[in-house]
Amino acid sequence: MEHQNWKPLSKLEMIDLLRSAKLSTKKIVSLRSHQKNIRKANDFKSQDAKIFSEALLSLKTYLRKDDQVILLLGSENEETFNQNNKTDYLNILAKVISHQLYHLLTKQRSIDE
């Protein structure tokens, strides 16, 4: 699927992104505001806006073992996704989106079979 806000990654690129963001089954949200780590956010942007902080949300919670999805949120404000901020609401958001994505994929896969 070609879309300006979607970027399919190879398995190795996804593993690299998960490792660099330090995402796991226990840590599903990562906040970054150091310029050296923002490279990925600027790869995904669809406008000319500069990204100075980002939140990476693993949407794997309810998906199959081999499914990997990361939602990347970027901000021009360096403090929006600062590493010192709490992630409680972003954790809830990641789980809700993962649950909805699970239902969507389950429905789509049953149609395809």
Side-chain angles (χ1 to χ4, degrees):
M1 164 183 3
E2 286 293 321
H3 190 277
Q4 64 185 1
N5 293 324
W6 293 92
K7 183 173 181 178
L9 300 176
S10 71
K11 188 173 185 175
L12 288 176
E13 289 173 313
M14 181 61 81
I15 290 169
D16 182 47
L17 183 58
L18 288 167
R19 282 186 183 149
S20 71
K22 298 183 175 104
L23 293 172
S24 66
T25 53
K26 293 183 180 178
K27 183 182 178 206
I28 61 172
V29 174
S30 178
L31 304 179
R32 305 195 295 195
S33 59
H34 286 66
Q35 192 58 34
K36 65 179 178 138
N37 295 328
I38 304 297
R39 177 184 53 85
K40 289 292 183 189
N42 288 316
D43 289 347
F44 288 94
K45 70 182 173 66
S46 60
Q47 303 171 2
D48 291 329
K50 278 289 182 196
I51 305 297
F52 292 105
S53 66
E54 66 185 5
L56 292 94
L57 286 65
S58 172
L59 304 182
K60 185 174 177 50
T61 303
Y62 294 98
L63 301 183
R64 295 188 318 196
K65 185 178 180 182
D66 56 336
D67 290 332
Q68 296 284 351
V69 180
I70 294 177
L71 175 63
L72 193 145
L73 305 172
S75 174
E76 292 180 0
N77 183 335
E78 198 171 320
E79 294 303 311
T80 301
F81 299 119
N82 185 300
Q83 297 90 307
N84 297 323
N85 295 347
K86 300 279 186 201
T87 61
D88 298 351
Y89 292 123
L90 291 173
N91 280 304
I92 293 168
L93 178 64
K95 289 178 182 178
V96 168
I97 294 172
S98 177
H99 193 257
Q100 292 301 314
L101 187 57
Y102 165 78
H103 286 296
L104 177 71
L105 289 174
T106 302
K107 187 176 185 180
Q108 184 62 42
R109 288 173 175 154
S110 68
I111 292 171
D112 291 342
E113 292 176 354

